[in-house]
């Protein structure tokens, strides 16, 4: 991993992005549960930290509180964004953008050239964010989400080399 020290994000005074640790899990799980209709079991986050070598998991911390989290998997040259969420109290402030940028740049430093993810077809905020990074729709997975049989949009970002700065 390239970034061993916390990184202070400009523009969001005091925001620190650092690797997720087991001590963060309670807050991470809480963010996941208020953010998704199909949240992950707590053990899945723990697995990411303890047993999944491909996992690249980060938190954005503001005033000692975890404001946002991301779990991603680095698979050779591709970063798969598995989940990302900002606590509802902290949305719309640019934190999700900073966190995704950080994850992508760190993966790029490790050799990633592209990124993929799945997003609910109705998730306008996320779709807008991903499009602004250059992700484009690559396909659909029909009835992917089992709570409401919603389609997943599969998106890919092939221009990772063009991403710079945080
Ligand atoms: C998607 C999410 C992570 C964005 O996090 P955030 O910290 O609020 O995002 P930011 O403030 O950094 O905004 C980044 C971009 O997202 C888009 N965006 C964020 N909130 C939006 C909203 N309410 N409506 C439309 N676009 C929105 C915009 O493109 C924004 O960029 P801009 O401000 O330059 O226009 C957040 O809305 C969230 O946690 N949602 C619930 C969980 C989720 O759906 N995760 C994605 C799963 S695929």
């Amino acid at each position: 991993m390239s970034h061993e020290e916390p990184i202070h994000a400009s523009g969001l005074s005091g925001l620190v992005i650092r690797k997720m640790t087991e001590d963060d899990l309670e807050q991470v799980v809480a963010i996941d549960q208020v953010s998704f209709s199909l949240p992950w079991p707590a053990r899945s986050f723990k697995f990411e930290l303890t047993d999944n070598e491909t996992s690249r998991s980060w938190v954005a911390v503001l005033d000692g509180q975890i404001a946002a989290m991301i779990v991603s998997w680095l698979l050779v040259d591709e970063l798969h964004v598995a989940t990302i969420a900002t606590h509802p109290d902290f949305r719309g402030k640019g934190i999700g953008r900073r966190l995704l940028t950080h994850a992508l740049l760190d993966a790029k430093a490790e050799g990633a050239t592209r990124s993929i993810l799945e997003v609910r077809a109705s998730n306008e905020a996320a779709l807008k964010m991903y499009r602004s990074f250059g992700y484009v729709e690559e396909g659909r997975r029909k009835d992917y989400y089992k709570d409401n049989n919603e389609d997943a949009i599969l998106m890919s970002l092939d221009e990772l080399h063009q991403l710079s700065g945080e």
Side-chain angles (χ1 to χ4, degrees):
M1 302 286 285
S2 55
H3 297 316
E4 293 303 331
E5 295 300 322
I7 291 174
H8 296 269
S10 61
L12 279 164
S13 178
L15 186 77
V16 173
I17 296 175
R18 59 163 174 77
K19 288 178 190 172
M20 190 187 295
T21 71
E22 287 190 66
D23 288 343
D24 301 325
L25 286 180
E26 195 174 324
Q27 288 184 71
V28 166
V29 168
I31 292 172
D32 189 56
Q33 287 182 347
V34 294
S35 298
F36 294 105
S37 51
L38 292 174
W40 287 12
R43 68 174 181 280
S44 297
F45 286 100
K46 187 160 193 280
F47 171 84
E48 294 298 331
L49 299 181
T50 57
D51 290 298
N52 185 358
E53 286 185 5
T54 72
S55 182
R56 303 292 182 271
S57 303
W58 304 93
V59 288
V61 184
L62 204 52
D63 298 331
Q65 188 181 341
I66 296 179
M69 58 83 177
I70 184 169
V71 175
S72 55
W73 302 313
L74 183 61
L75 304 165
V76 192
D77 60 351
E78 183 174 272
L79 190 74
H80 187 149
V81 177
T83 190
I84 178 170
T86 300
H87 187 287
D89 292 349
F90 293 95
R91 287 184 193 158
K93 300 176 190 298
I95 295 174
R97 181 180 296 286
R98 303 303 299 223
L99 191 57
L100 182 57
T101 301
H102 183 88
L104 289 170
L105 287 178
D106 190 80
K108 182 179 156 185
E110 284 199 87
T113 60
R114 72 191 302 266
S115 175
I116 61 165
L117 54 82
E118 290 104 22
V119 54
R120 283 181 190 259
S122 68
N123 193 342
E124 288 300 333
L127 280 165
K128 192 169 172 210
M129 178 168 80
Y130 298 141
R131 287 188 187 118
S132 75
F133 275 81
Y135 284 89
V136 294
E137 182 170 341
E138 198 173 84
R140 277 191 181 234
R141 300 194 198 283
K142 195 95 186 109
D143 304 336
Y144 183 78
Y145 297 100
K146 293 308 164 202
D147 57 334
N148 63 353
N149 292 329
E150 187 171 0
D151 292 356
I153 296 181
L154 176 62
M155 302 187 90
S156 63
L157 170 68
D158 286 318
E159 308 300 329
L160 194 48
H161 62 279
Q162 289 184 3
L163 186 71
S164 60
E166 285 200 50

